[in-house]
Amino acid sequence: MEHWNSTLGSGFMLLGILNNSGFPGLLCATISVLYMLALTSNGLLLLVITMDAWLHVPMYLLLRQLSLMDLLFTSVVTPKVIIDFLLSENTVSFGGCALQMFLALTVGGAEDLLLAFMAYDRYVAICHPLNYMVLMRPRVYWLMMATPWVLASLNALFHTPYTMHFPFCRSRKINHLLCEIPPLLKLACEDASRYELMLYVTGVTFLIPPLVAILASYTLILLTVLHMPSNEGRQKALVTCSSHLTVVGMFYGAATFMYVLPSSLHSPKQDNIISVFYTMVTPALNPLIYSLRNKEVMGALRRVLQKYML
C-alpha cells in the first residue's frame, strides 16, 4: 500500500458525524445551539464566580476551572465542525490535526483529574468540616489547580508527536469528528499494536485511579450524610453530590469507552456519537447541572446582575 507524505503540507479529511447523518442540516443546527449554550453558560459561570467574592472558596474556584476546561474543550472541536459543514470543506492540515489532538488531550486529561480533586474537596467539606480550611489551605488549592494542567500537558506532549510520527496510507479520510488517537491509528501503515497497548495503559492510568478516588470519596460522603441530624444539611449535601456524580458519570463513561475499551469493540458511528457527547453535550450541560440546583450560585448570579444592570 502506498504511503503519502505526512508533512506540514499534507492533510486529512475529517468525515465526522454530519457526513453520515440523514439530516445534516438539523444536526448542524443542534450542534450550533449546544455550542452557544456551552459558551453562554460556562462564560456566565466564569464571570459570576470571578466577580462575586462570596464564591471565592475552593469548591467554586475548582468549579470555575471546570467551566474554563469545558469552554476550551468544546471550542477546540465544535467551531471547525460547524464551519466545515457551512463551507462544504472538511480538510485539516497535518499541523492543524496535531494541534487539535494536543489541545483535546490536554484539556480532556486535565478535566479528568480535576473531577477527582473536586470530589476530594466535597469529601473534606462534608466529612471533616472543622478541618476544611486547614486541609484546603491556599497552597493545597493551587496545587490542585496546577496538577491537572501539568500532567495532562505532559501526557499530550508524549502522545501527540508519537501518534503523528506514523506513516499514513494514501487514504486520508478520518472517519471521526476530530483528530483523535484511536481513529487516526487506523490509517497507520505500520503495525501500531504496541503503541495501542501503551495507549491502553495510559488510559487506564489516567482514568481508573481518579475514578476510584471519586467513588471512594462519595461513598464516605454518603455514609456521613446518612448520619447527619439535620434534614436541611443532608438534603444540601445530597444535591451537591448528585450534581457532581452526574458530571462524573457522563465524562468518565465517554472517556472510558474511547480510551480503555479495545479497538475491536469500536465502530466509527459509535465513536462519533461518544465524541459528540463529551465534546459538545457535556460542556453545555455541566454548568446547568452545577448552577441550577445550587442556591449559592443562583444567589451570586442575581447579585452580579443587580450590581451591573442597575
Side-chain angles (χ1 to χ4, degrees):
M1 185 177 291
E2 292 182 280
H3 297 179
W4 59 277
N5 185 21
S6 57
T7 64
L8 291 177
S10 306
F12 299 95
M13 296 176 63
L14 287 170
L15 299 184
I17 195 170
L18 294 178
N19 289 5
N20 300 320
S21 169
F23 305 95
L26 178 60
L27 186 56
C28 183
T30 303
I31 289 173
S32 300
V33 170
L34 284 173
Y35 184 58
M36 293 305 299
L37 179 61
L39 286 181
T40 304
S41 55
N42 283 293
L44 193 58
L45 197 54
L46 280 168
L47 177 66
V48 168
I49 295 175
T50 301
M51 299 299 294
D52 193 281
W54 289 99
L55 298 184
H56 290 179
V57 294
M59 173 183 172
Y60 294 109
L61 295 175
L62 290 171
L63 179 57
R64 183 175 63 179
Q65 279 291 297
L66 180 65
S67 289
L68 176 62
M69 291 174 182
D70 281 335
L71 199 58
L72 293 175
F73 202 3
T74 191
S75 295
V76 167
V77 179
T78 312
K80 178 167 176 53
V81 172
I82 297 171
I83 293 171
D84 284 354
F85 175 76
L86 295 177
L87 300 181
S88 299
E89 176 67 46
N90 57 0
T91 60
V92 59
S93 67
F94 183 86
C97 185
L99 178 62
Q100 188 182 58
M101 181 185 299
F102 172 79
L103 293 175
L105 285 172
T106 298
V107 181
E111 183 167 338
D112 160 47
L113 298 174
L114 181 71
L115 289 172
F117 287 133
M118 292 177 71
Y120 172 75
D121 171 73
R122 290 300 82 208
Y123 160 73
V124 174
I126 294 173
C127 299
H128 303 282
L130 299 179
N131 295 323
Y132 183 78
M133 298 310 297
V134 175
L135 296 174
M136 291 298 295
R137 57 191 179 275
R139 180 180 295 182
V140 174
Y141 161 72
W142 285 110
L143 185 63
M144 292 168 70
M145 291 271 285
T147 300
W149 288 108
V150 172
L151 293 181
S153 297
L154 292 175
N155 178 62
L157 279 172
F158 169 76
H159 281 293
T160 301
Y162 200 96
T163 301
M164 302 305 289
H165 96 282
F166 284 103
F168 298 103
C169 298
R170 179 67 66 177
S171 173
R172 301 180 296 124
K173 297 179 180 178
I174 302 176
N175 198 357
H176 198 55
L177 190 70
L178 70 153
C179 287
E180 210 163 8
I181 297 175
L184 198 60
L185 288 180
K186 294 179 181 179
L187 303 182
C189 296
E190 288 184 358
D191 180 23
S193 57
R194 289 186 178 180
Y195 179 55
E196 287 180 340
L197 177 60
M198 187 188 305
L199 185 66
Y200 169 79
V201 172
T202 305
V204 169
T205 303
F206 247 80
L207 289 170
I208 303 304
L211 182 58
V212 170
I214 290 169
L215 294 177
S217 296
Y218 283 112
T219 299
L220 294 172
I221 288 172
L222 180 61
L223 293 175
T224 301
V225 167
L226 292 177
H227 290 88
M228 281 185 174
S230 168
N231 287 331
E232 184 179 352
R234 188 185 303 121
Q235 184 178 5
K236 181 180 178 181
L238 288 174
V239 167
T240 302
C241 293
S242 64
S243 299
H244 290 203
L245 285 174
T246 302
V247 173
V248 167
M250 291 192 299
F251 183 84
Y252 278 91
T256 300
F257 181 91
M258 202 68 196
Y259 286 97
V260 175
L261 290 184
S263 58
S264 59
L265 299 179
H266 289 230
S267 72
K269 184 176 181 179
Q270 287 176 327
D271 286 354
N272 272 316
I273 293 173
I274 293 296
S275 295
V276 167
F277 199 79
Y278 66 76
T279 61
M280 299 177 187
V281 177
T282 303
L285 294 181
N286 278 356
L288 300 180
I289 291 172
Y290 276 106
S291 61
L292 290 181
R293 302 174 66 187
N294 190 301
K295 293 180 180 179
E296 285 82 3
V297 172
M298 296 306 294
L301 176 59
R302 285 191 292 269
R303 288 193 297 271
V304 170
L305 291 176
Q306 289 172 0
K307 181 177 179 180
Y308 291 95
M309 293 293 288
L310 296 178

